[in-house]
Amino acid sequence: MKAYRLLTEDDTSAFCHKVSEALSKGWDLYGDPSYAFDAATQKMRCAQAVVKEVVGVEYTPEVKLGRL
């Protein structure tokens, strides 16, 4: 199966660490990162899509994508 995740976080080093962790676990970047202002928190938010090909796993909604 091909898994997809959208990683989001405030625009801090925590976002970079989240993406770096996913890359170290075999996920690949998918598209460009996005940035948007969150008016509720008065902070910039970041988003990055990642994908991963997972052999031997069939997709169901119960799959814990963060554990792949």
Side-chain angles (χ1 to χ4, degrees):
M1 94 167 182
K2 189 161 207 167
Y4 170 91
R5 293 174 64 199
L6 182 65
L7 307 175
T8 62
E9 184 65 59
D10 288 343
D11 186 14
T12 66
S13 63
F15 175 72
C16 296
H17 287 288
K18 188 180 278 192
V19 174
S20 294
E21 179 182 25
L23 294 173
S24 73
K25 292 181 176 181
W27 292 83
D28 295 312
L29 298 177
Y30 184 80
D32 294 327
S34 296
Y35 301 92
F37 182 71
D38 182 343
T41 64
Q42 298 291 301
K43 295 181 181 179
M44 291 298 290
R45 297 278 298 171
C46 303
Q48 174 65 59
V50 292
V51 293
K52 183 178 185 179
E53 189 67 42
V54 183
V55 178
V57 176
E58 186 173 324
Y59 175 77
T60 68
E62 290 77 31
V63 170
K64 302 295 183 196
L65 298 173
R67 293 186 181 160
L68 296 177

